[in-house]
């Protein structure tokens, strides 16, 4: 476990379009009492443009209208992922849900709203990070990803990671953490530590949909996010 020195909390300016009390109440519900300022982007525009083109080629040329596994029969859209192609922080979930399948974007439902509150609390906006999933297509009835689906789809996630080269990855939920960390451990065991992997540092935490069902775990997730912030500050 990385025993990083704790960063000093800073004030985070709320979105002026949101009622302040609503904004504060949402963070109190998460157990969040410390806030951080967003850091300015440091990646060069040319490098980010090249990475963006590589991601677009991966989406349109390599993945295309994918029919490699059975999920293509029931999906509405392929949810490739989105965000900053040169992001320092990458978020990896498990699979699209109904809202994501309908819109073709990752984490846009209730779980996504919670996730955005969480990353805002450590100084990031949605456009600062890159968001993806282990699977690009929704499993029927939001069932768990199956091993054959992960085997077929995960190479595209690894290519996304290799293009973006994030400093830190947050693995959201059991299936994401098990894949990224090559582990069979439970999420409760894998969380609350920093893993130095060949492709970057990884912090595992609970999936936002789990936190919606088990809000008593939100303070633990907040500890994981503070660990992510400290790790980024020290990298």
């Amino acid at each position: 476990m990385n025993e990083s020195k704790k960063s000093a909390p800073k004030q985070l300016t709320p979105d002026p379009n949101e009622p302040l009390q609503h904004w504060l109440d949402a963070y109190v519900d998460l157990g969040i009492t410390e806030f951080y300022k967003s850091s300015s982007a440091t990646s060069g525009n040319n490098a980010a443009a090249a990475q963006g083109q590589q991601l677009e080629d991966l989406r349109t040329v390599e993945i295309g209208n994918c029919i490699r596994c059975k999920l293509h029969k029931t999906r509405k859209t392929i949810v490739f992922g989105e965000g900053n192609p040169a992001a320092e922080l990458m978020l990896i979930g498990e699979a699209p849900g109904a809202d994501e399948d309908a819109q073709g974007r990752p984490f846009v439902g209730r779980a996504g709203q919670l996730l955005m509150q969480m990353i805002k609390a450590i100084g990031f906006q949605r456009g600062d990070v890159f968001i993806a999933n282990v699977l690009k297509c929704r499993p029927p009835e939001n069932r768990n990803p199956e091993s054959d689906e992960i085997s077929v789809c995960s190479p595209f996630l690894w290519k996304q990671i290799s293009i973006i080269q994030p400093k830190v990855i947050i693995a959201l939920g059991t299936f994401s953490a098990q894949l990224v960390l090559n582990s069979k451990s439970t999420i409760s065991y894998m969380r609350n530590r920093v893993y130095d992997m060949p492709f970057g540092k990884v912090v595992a935490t609970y999936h936002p949909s789990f936190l919606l069902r088990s809000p008593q775990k939100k303070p633990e997730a907040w500890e994981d996010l503070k660990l992510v912030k400290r790790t980024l500050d020290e990298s």
Side-chain angles (χ1 to χ4, degrees), residues 69-227:
C69 80
K70 57 186 177 292
L71 293 180
H72 80 274
K73 298 177 182 178
T74 54
R75 73 166 187 242
K76 293 180 180 178
T77 60
I78 295 173
V79 184
F80 176 75
E82 66 180 35
N84 182 353
E88 293 186 349
L89 180 62
M90 185 172 182
L91 315 177
I92 301 176
E94 298 178 351
D99 292 316
E100 291 75 20
D101 187 37
Q103 298 184 39
R105 302 179 61 206
F107 285 98
V108 292
R110 289 183 62 228
Q113 293 169 13
L114 175 58
L115 181 61
M116 292 309 103
Q117 289 178 347
M118 292 165 67
I119 66 168
K120 281 183 181 180
I122 58 170
F124 289 88
Q125 301 293 325
R126 185 179 180 102
D128 298 329
V129 303
F130 195 92
I131 310 170
N133 282 301
V134 172
L135 299 185
K136 306 291 187 232
C137 298
R138 181 196 180 197
E141 305 301 321
N142 290 347
R143 64 159 170 75
N144 289 335
E146 295 180 351
S147 59
D148 60 319
E149 297 161 355
I150 295 173
S151 296
V152 168
C153 205
S154 60
F156 299 119
L157 175 63
W158 291 118
K159 287 185 180 182
Q160 287 175 305
I161 293 172
S162 70
I163 292 169
I164 297 164
Q165 299 182 30
K167 291 182 178 180
V168 177
I169 291 171
I170 303 179
L172 299 161
T174 299
F175 291 93
S176 174
Q178 287 182 344
L179 174 69
V180 173
L181 296 174
N182 190 28
S183 172
K184 295 297 183 183
S185 299
T186 64
I187 189 65
S188 58
Y189 176 81
M190 291 183 283
R191 60 163 293 274
N192 196 34
R193 64 190 76 188
V194 178
Y195 297 86
D196 284 303
M197 305 300 285
F199 46 84
K201 297 182 185 297
V202 178
V203 175
T205 192
Y206 300 113
H207 195 281
S209 61
F210 171 78
L211 295 176
L212 289 173
R213 299 190 303 270
S214 304
Q216 71 276 11
K217 293 292 186 179
K218 289 179 180 179
E220 292 181 30
W222 175 231
E223 292 302 317
D224 296 333
L225 289 172
K226 289 194 290 184
L227 180 58

